[in-house]
Amino acid sequence: PLFVVEGKNQNLPIKSMPGYSRFSIDNLVTEAKELYSLGIKSVALFPAINDSFKTPDAREAYNPEGLNARAIRAVKDAVPEMMIMGDIALDPYSSDGHDGLVDPKTGEILNDATLEILAKQAVCEARAGVDIVGPSDMMDGRVAYIRAALDQEGFHNTMIMSYTAKYASGYYGPFRDALDSAPKKGDKKTYQMDPANGEEALREAALDEAEGADILMVKPGLPYLDIIYRLKQNFSLPIAAYNVSGEYAMVKAAAQNGWIDHDKVMMENLMCFRRAGADVILTYHAKEAAKLLNN
Ligand code: PBG
């Protein structure tokens, strides 16, 4: 995962993610080249949008000249072999800080009205050059809706990595710091899943498979290895694990205090994802882990 900001030669550290930065597009391109040379063949881009572009209808989400589309084009131009995953969700663009549209009267998330915007966002990203779209919004029915919209525009080869089992988790705090994307009101419990519920992951996975998802993802990662394992046992699609920002921050904080051996714990965590059955790991440790493995 990589964070993008406006400007030139920007490398803005994220306090709650030691060692991790938000890059302007020029530096993002340099980083992508380096990552590719280290053997990392895929990146997921997350834009930090200026507040002035955040609106209740999140229309910046499908602006072909917006930060996200420009970043995708730049990385694709510079490193064409790099697989790029675009994020699908409204929170970086929404003045409400929610992944879906919010009913101004009731505060309810408007599932079906949101699908329309997610589909536009997916097509916008596909036109900019993504190989994969990753719906992280958790609206119901979005995989089928996005698949149909992509196919209609001729993007039959654009893959969907569905955030299949994404829990309403406390582990996303540092990510929300990075994008300044925390909900203004309420929480995400009406669309993200209950951490106490394991069965729902199986129902969500069956729906995503039927709707045309190419990869099923579990998020967060480490406290949810049982979910990764259950999906791997029950479905033949590749399973991805998202080793999220809060998990990364905990390793960094403990290591900075000298309480754990950083590299040992990092590699153990990554290996345990594989043991549980993850075919793909999204992790903020990717670069340092690749360097370690290359040595
Ligand atoms: C939101 C989104 C989140 C993350 C990825 N996409 C946060 C949230 O749901 O509030 C979190 C990733 C991380 O913590 O590393 N669409």
Side-chain angles (χ1 to χ4, degrees):
L2 293 172
F3 300 110
V4 200
V5 291
E6 290 286 3
K8 287 219 164 64
N9 199 22
Q10 297 294 308
N11 187 344
L12 307 176
I14 304 157
K15 254 202 200 110
S16 48
M17 300 180 73
Y20 226 76
S21 293
R22 288 157 293 194
F23 298 116
S24 51
I25 291 179
D26 49 349
N27 286 351
L28 177 75
V29 164
T30 309
E31 180 75 4
K33 285 181 185 161
E34 191 187 346
L35 293 174
Y36 197 80
S37 75
L38 289 169
I40 296 166
K41 305 255 167 59
S42 184
V43 291
L45 301 183
F46 295 98
I49 303 297
N50 289 334
D51 274 351
S52 57
F53 291 112
K54 298 186 183 184
T55 55
D57 62 5
R59 60 179 174 275
E60 181 66 10
Y62 50 90
N63 177 1
E65 293 308 321
L67 176 63
N68 191 37
R70 279 182 282 124
I72 293 164
R73 283 197 294 272
V75 174
K76 202 67 199 173
D77 278 354
V79 201
E81 299 302 309
M82 180 70 94
M83 297 278 283
I84 303 177
M85 181 160 93
D87 185 46
I88 304 290
L90 305 190
D91 52 324
Y93 313 92
S94 152
S95 46
D96 295 305
H98 276 287
D99 295 43
L101 296 171
V102 180
D103 184 324
K105 288 199 191 83
T106 61
E108 206 176 314
I109 302 299
L110 301 168
N111 188 94
D112 292 8
T114 301
L115 299 182
E116 201 77 43
I117 303 174
L118 300 175
K120 285 186 188 168
Q121 189 179 20
V123 170
C124 172
E125 289 182 354
R127 285 192 183 127
V130 297
D131 304 282
I132 313 173
V133 292
S136 68
D137 56 284
M138 292 305 277
M139 298 303 118
D140 291 329
R142 90 274 207 215
V143 172
Y145 209 93
I146 290 168
R147 183 72 271 156
L150 288 172
D151 288 353
Q152 197 174 349
E153 295 295 319
F155 294 110
H156 305 98
N157 293 326
T158 307
M159 275 196 271
I160 301 178
M161 179 191 289
S162 181
Y163 287 61
T164 293
K166 177 175 176 181
Y167 287 86
S169 168
Y171 282 93
Y172 307 148
F175 176 96
R176 293 177 189 174
D177 291 343
L179 298 190
D180 189 21
S181 63
K184 297 287 181 292
K185 258 196 233 149
D187 54 43
K188 299 192 175 184
K189 289 183 189 168
T190 61
Y191 47 106
Q192 298 182 350
M193 289 162 51
D194 176 358
N197 196 336
E199 305 304 322
E200 190 180 4
L202 296 172
R203 294 197 293 274
E204 292 280 1
L207 286 167
D208 282 355
E209 183 182 50
E211 290 182 29
D214 299 286
I215 303 173
L216 306 177
M217 187 219 282
V218 175
K219 176 183 176 185
L222 290 170
Y224 297 84
L225 293 179
D226 59 322
I227 306 296
I228 294 169
Y229 183 75
R230 286 171 82 175
L231 293 195
K232 186 65 185 172
Q233 298 305 304
N234 286 286
F235 294 87
S236 60
L237 288 171
I239 306 297
Y242 200 142
N243 179 210
V244 300
S245 59
E247 300 170 43
Y248 172 87
M250 291 196 306
V251 172
K252 292 293 172 189
Q256 282 179 349
N257 277 297
W259 296 336
I260 58 171
D261 177 328
H262 177 274
D263 290 352
K264 212 170 166 194
V265 170
M266 170 179 76
M267 294 313 292
E268 184 174 330
N269 286 349
L270 296 176
M271 196 209 31
C272 289
F273 283 119
R274 290 287 289 158
R275 190 198 61 227
D279 302 289
V280 175
I281 305 170
L282 290 92
T283 178
Y284 303 96
H285 291 298
K287 190 180 184 180
E288 48 193 355
K291 281 185 181 166
L292 211 67
L293 290 170
N294 290 338
N295 289 334

